[in-house]
Amino acid sequence: MTRTCGFDPASVEFARGHFIGGQVVEDATDHLSVARPSDLIPYADLPIGTADTVDRAVTAARQALSSSGWATQSPRERVRAMRRWADLVESHQEELGRLEALGSTRPISQVIASDVAGVAEAIRFFSEWADKLGGDVAATRSNDLGMIVSEPYGVVGAITPWNFPLSMASWKAAPALAAGNAIVLKPSELTPFSTVRLAQLAVQAGIPPGIFNVVQGTGAVTGDAITRHPGIAKISFTGSTRTGTAIMTAAAESGIKPVILELGGKSPQVVFADADLERAADCIAGSLLANAGQACVAGSRLIVERSAEAALVGLLQRKLSNIVPGHTWNASTDYAPIVSEIQARRIDRILQQSRDQGAEFVMGGQRIEGYGGAWYQPTLLTNVTAATAAVREEIFGPVLTIQAFDTEEEAYALADHPEYGLAAGVYTRDLGRAMRAMRAIQAGTVWINRYTRTMDFILPTGGYKRSGIGKDLGRQAVEQNLRHKTVLIDIGADQAAR
Ligand code: NAD
């Protein structure tokens, strides 16, 4: 059942340490003060895990793998334990929801209806793969038997961003665990605490202590130590392209580890004049307002056929005016704060730079004052080119640039971003054109006459170009948590045939 109760942020209790070997551990000498995005008031100190803390977590993970049978028992046991975990997430939806809403940009009503519900479903989805991906028997000549055997990596390292902390943690942990791995996960230092509760529920569900470990800390110290630890066999990262580059370099320098990178985006929304404009405006506005644009797949570049531009922009102005900003712990809030003052200043900078380059503001462009934290007005920018900062850079705020086109070819050229290729939206009633657009656009996901994911977790997500390598979600996410051993056996079939 969906609950939308507001709550007192001071009433929320949570563990402040790392979670290693099934225990909350507070062994850090250095701490970081963590603030609530809604009012920027510090509410807890976060221990900064060192290379020693990471080593302790990796040791706990290895011991758990060797003593618990997580990877070696019947895979159905993993299915059962993970299902119990998903059930516990659901039965703790209010507690998890409050913790997430307290420490992140996600309004409580949305956390409970969408994020926590999605986490439970993602865990269930991945649990179901645990006994279904064993490998293949290969086509060989008859006196040999060739097999490709799937095996878990052992200890997987994961590093997650701040924009959807619980969802991102579940997208990393659930496929890794379903495949028989243990995980050492570092959440963002801006939104660290809900992930520990998720891991505690895993242990409560019967997943052996040490299989899901959380090490808290900063990227430069703790994240780097995870990436470089020799006992971690693979890294799965979600975050910015800049950090993804550093992680790929560190993984190469420290032992050639495979890396899965889910990185930034600057996704186009291509609207043809024959589209259902009301529907297109709903989808585009929805994408911009979701987490106030702080989503990797935010459709932040509108590319619209010139004859439909005025009508569509009018619709968008109306739909983007309907927002309810407020603290994330108020039940009525539907519009998220910007995560930090640093991030708000980044939006200020890109907008100022765009203004200096000639961009004109159709609406927005200012902060919304009065709540303590930083909120940004939904912002529409016109008179922009491919060189304008707001068109070029990932903003991670509620900013939509508008560019008009006259021909299909021009639309696809504008849609193409020199760096990013995460997602795209296409709106048209012409099936042939929709398919041509799908082929022409360089992106890991193309949504047609809709925008954003559903709970069909069978559909993977991931980027082209510098938006990333590999996939989260889908069968692919489990396969990426398995490595493949080739076996060739001489079975002497020739002799038997003689
Ligand atoms: P970020 O890159 O600043 O940080 C992400 C994580 O990496 C954090 O946990 C951080 O502590 C850690 N980190 C930072 N430096 C590190 C280093 N040198 N070594 C190891 N770890 C390090 O990103 P963010 O600001 O938290 O999140 C926003 C970014 O995430 C955006 O670019 C967004 O597009 C991207 N994102 C992508 C997806 C996707 O699926 N493609 C999903 C969500 C967010």
Side-chain angles (χ1 to χ4, degrees):
M1 192 181 70
T2 299
R3 308 274 290 275
T4 53
C5 300
F7 64 95
D8 171 5
S11 68
V12 180
E13 289 177 7
F14 54 92
R16 286 159 168 76
H18 315 288
F19 188 66
I20 298 175
Q23 303 290 327
V24 175
V25 175
E26 301 184 33
D27 71 342
T29 45
D30 288 336
H31 287 79
L32 188 75
S33 173
V34 183
R36 321 189 288 210
S38 281
D39 53 13
L40 303 181
I41 292 178
Y43 69 104
D45 283 345
L46 182 78
I48 300 177
T50 61
D52 283 345
T53 323
V54 171
D55 190 52
R56 203 167 150 185
V58 174
T59 303
R62 283 179 149 171
Q63 280 170 356
L65 281 173
S66 65
S67 64
S68 72
W70 182 247
T72 51
Q73 67 192 344
S74 160
R76 292 302 299 168
E77 295 299 327
R78 292 206 294 276
V79 179
R80 273 191 274 275
M82 289 183 68
R83 279 192 188 157
R84 289 193 297 271
W85 183 23
D87 291 345
L88 279 176
V89 167
E90 267 173 2
S91 62
H92 289 72
Q93 63 170 8
E94 189 119 347
E95 183 197 345
L96 280 169
R98 287 178 180 208
L99 187 46
E100 187 81 325
L102 170 77
S104 80
T105 58
R106 308 287 302 127
I108 182 68
S109 59
Q110 295 170 12
V111 175
I112 290 188
S114 167
D115 303 39
V116 178
V119 166
E121 274 313 290
I123 293 170
R124 279 195 195 102
F125 169 82
F126 284 117
S127 76
E128 290 154 11
W129 290 101
D131 60 349
K132 297 184 180 59
L133 290 172
D136 276 320
V137 172
T140 58
R141 57 182 190 161
S142 62
N143 60 339
D144 290 328
L145 178 64
M147 297 188 293
I148 302 145
V149 179
S150 299
E151 296 180 334
Y153 278 90
V155 185
V156 168
I159 299 170
T160 53
W162 49 261
N163 55 350
F164 297 90
L166 277 174
S167 304
M168 295 296 112
S170 70
W171 293 10
K172 300 297 185 197
L177 267 51
N181 298 285
I183 192 165
V184 174
L185 190 154
K186 189 197 88 64
S188 167
E189 57 273 42
L190 296 180
T191 55
F193 301 113
S194 55
T195 303
V196 169
R197 191 68 191 115
L198 186 66
Q200 286 176 318
L201 292 176
V203 172
Q204 195 178 324
I207 294 174
I211 293 296
F212 185 173
N213 306 279
V214 180
V215 180
Q216 302 288 15
T218 60
V221 176
T222 322
D224 190 62
I226 289 176
T227 310
R228 291 179 188 274
H229 195 290
I232 288 182
K234 186 204 126 141
I235 298 290
S236 183
F237 170 72
T238 298
S240 63
T241 298
R242 192 164 56 90
T243 306
T245 307
I247 285 179
M248 205 167 172
T249 307
E253 284 172 357
S254 62
I256 313 288
K257 295 183 186 80
V259 289
I260 298 300
L261 303 173
E262 300 296 339
L263 308 178
K266 192 70 204 176
S267 300
Q269 303 260 20
V270 182
V271 183
F272 291 94
D274 72 334
D276 176 343
L277 293 187
E278 186 80 39
R279 163 111 183 125
D282 276 336
C283 296
I284 295 164
S287 155
L288 204 66
L289 296 179
N291 211 25
Q294 299 165 109
C296 55
V297 293
S300 55
R301 292 187 298 132
L302 172 60
I303 292 161
V304 55
E305 193 162 354
R306 201 173 305 278
S307 58
E309 183 181 2
L312 182 61
V313 171
L315 286 169
L316 282 171
Q317 279 179 277
R318 185 158 54 77
K319 291 175 194 292
L320 291 170
S321 303
N322 270 334
I323 51 166
V324 185
H327 295 141
T328 42
W329 42 84
N330 288 341
S332 59
T333 298
D334 74 357
Y335 190 57
I338 303 304
V339 72
S340 66
E341 181 55 28
I342 291 177
Q343 177 61 18
R345 284 201 196 128
R346 183 181 143 76
I347 301 174
D348 291 338
R349 175 188 59 77
I350 296 174
L351 289 184
Q352 185 56 49
Q353 211 176 330
S354 303
R355 194 179 269 123
D356 295 345
Q357 291 171 304
E360 290 165 18
F361 287 71
V362 178
M363 68 182 286
Q366 303 291 327
R367 296 196 192 192
I368 303 169
E369 306 293 346
Y371 300 96
W375 270 258
Y376 237 100
Q377 293 172 344
T379 299
L380 296 183
L381 285 186
T382 187
N383 202 31
V384 295
T385 69
T388 307
V391 176
R392 219 180 48 237
E393 288 188 51
E394 183 182 46
I395 300 178
F396 241 53
V399 181
L400 182 72
T401 58
I402 304 166
Q403 292 169 282
F405 67 86
D406 294 301
T407 66
E408 215 177 296
E409 207 178 10
E410 207 186 330
Y412 303 147
L414 287 172
D416 195 41
H417 191 279
E419 283 185 45
Y420 296 118
L422 190 57
V426 175
Y427 304 85
T428 177
R429 288 189 167 99
D430 180 330
L431 180 61
R433 183 153 52 199
M435 292 299 98
R436 287 195 296 278
M438 180 272 287
R439 287 214 168 122
I441 292 173
Q442 298 276 309
T445 295
V446 178
W447 285 302
I448 295 172
N449 294 326
R450 60 163 294 113
Y451 204 87
T452 207
R453 303 182 186 94
T454 59
M455 285 215 198
D456 296 311
F457 293 129
I458 189 68
L459 294 169
T461 180
Y464 280 17
K465 304 192 207 175
R466 285 186 225 173
S467 288
I469 302 172
K471 300 286 185 186
D472 271 347
L473 300 180
R475 186 188 68 237
Q476 290 78 356
V478 190
E479 285 172 344
Q480 285 164 180
N481 277 286
L482 292 163
R483 50 189 167 178
H484 300 105
K485 184 174 281 171
T486 296
V487 183
L488 187 59
I489 310 166
D490 184 337
I491 59 172
D494 278 357
Q495 275 184 332
R498 250 183 255 132

